[in-house]
Amino acid sequence: MLKKMNLTGLASVAALALTMTSSPAAAECVIGSAPLFDPFAPYKEPGAIIHKESGFIFPATIAGFRRQCEMTTDFSGNNFEIGYVRDFDDDEIEIKIGIIHLEELNAEDHYKIVRPDMLSRYSNAASLSEGDYFVSGRPDIAAYQGIFDADNDGVPWHFSVTALDYGYWDARLTASYPQEIDSAAQEAIMELITAFQWQTPTSESKEGVAP
């Protein structure tokens, strides 16, 4: 676990942590299946995207989810986000996965920075649980999670935020779905986490690595 920063240091990185959550104008999302311009390519397999700096792989489909965006980034290489969605009856489970470099932040620090912005997106948001999160099969990863009830345009809603500390890289997974499909959504999210958990981002450059 990395050391916590002092208050000044924490504030200095807050803007970076929130870039992908509160400032969508700073990012770009390209939708399509063709190999479009992507600074994080090469593509390891048809439709897969590799975040060049961390080596993290984002398949076009995984655990029943399909990728929404082929590119959502601030172009620094240190703040990268991909969206996934899975249909369930007439509803959708939306997932956002971010790979972020945040110096000297642990998982709880990361979570506390993005929590206010996530709460501001919904009405009547109330915490169901908040605390340390155990990633099954990966005791080496420190994680912190919050799960919330809310109202989304009159629809009872659930959303969660999970921050994971890999060391040099942090990851963030946000999930959003109607409350009526809570059980199915939680099962689907666990399938997605399990499918991704074998990966470990690295601080080494991946440039020049053959697909």
Side-chain angles (χ1 to χ4, degrees):
M1 183 71 71
L2 299 174
K3 288 184 177 180
K4 288 191 177 182
M5 307 180 68
N6 58 34
L7 187 58
T8 302
L10 190 61
S12 69
V13 297
L16 176 59
L18 292 173
T19 297
M20 304 307 295
T21 59
S22 60
S23 302
E28 180 179 353
C29 178
V30 179
I31 299 176
S33 58
L36 305 174
F37 169 74
D38 183 354
F40 304 107
Y43 292 82
K44 190 168 185 178
E45 60 186 33
I49 287 176
I50 301 175
H51 177 226
K52 182 177 64 177
E53 280 73 14
S54 70
F56 211 91
I57 301 168
F58 295 93
T61 59
I62 183 170
F65 286 81
R66 66 184 184 277
R67 199 180 58 228
Q68 291 178 293
C69 295
E70 291 203 348
M71 180 170 59
T72 307
T73 175
D74 65 356
F75 296 102
S76 72
N78 287 334
N79 201 337
F80 180 74
E81 186 174 89
I82 285 287
Y84 282 90
V85 65
R86 179 170 172 173
D87 298 320
F88 185 81
D89 293 335
D90 295 327
D91 296 309
E92 287 186 340
I93 306 164
E94 291 192 13
I95 301 290
K96 297 290 185 183
I97 301 174
I99 302 294
I100 306 166
H101 173 50
L102 298 172
E103 292 188 12
E104 298 185 50
L105 256 70
N106 61 29
E108 184 177 355
D109 292 333
H110 182 178
Y111 170 83
K112 288 181 176 179
I113 287 174
V114 299
R115 182 184 188 275
D117 181 76
M118 294 301 301
L119 291 176
S120 72
R121 299 184 182 195
Y122 303 94
S123 301
N124 305 315
S127 173
L128 295 179
S129 66
E130 294 180 89
D132 293 329
Y133 178 75
F134 176 71
V135 181
S136 179
R138 292 299 303 269
D140 57 311
I141 301 174
Y144 200 91
Q145 183 184 76
I147 301 175
F148 301 87
D149 268 341
D151 180 275
N152 187 14
D153 293 330
V155 178
W157 212 257
H158 272 180
F159 69 96
S160 64
V161 185
T162 307
L164 304 99
D165 181 1
Y166 286 95
Y168 182 88
W169 293 101
D170 283 50
R172 179 170 67 245
L173 186 148
T174 59
S176 173
Y177 52 87
Q179 185 174 322
E180 67 178 4
I181 63 168
D182 180 59
S183 295
Q186 289 192 39
E187 183 177 342
I189 292 166
M190 286 304 303
E191 290 175 8
L192 183 68
I193 292 174
T194 299
F196 268 114
Q197 71 180 17
W198 61 270
Q199 299 198 60
T200 300
T202 175
S203 59
E204 297 177 2
S205 173
K206 294 295 178 180
E207 284 192 54
V209 176

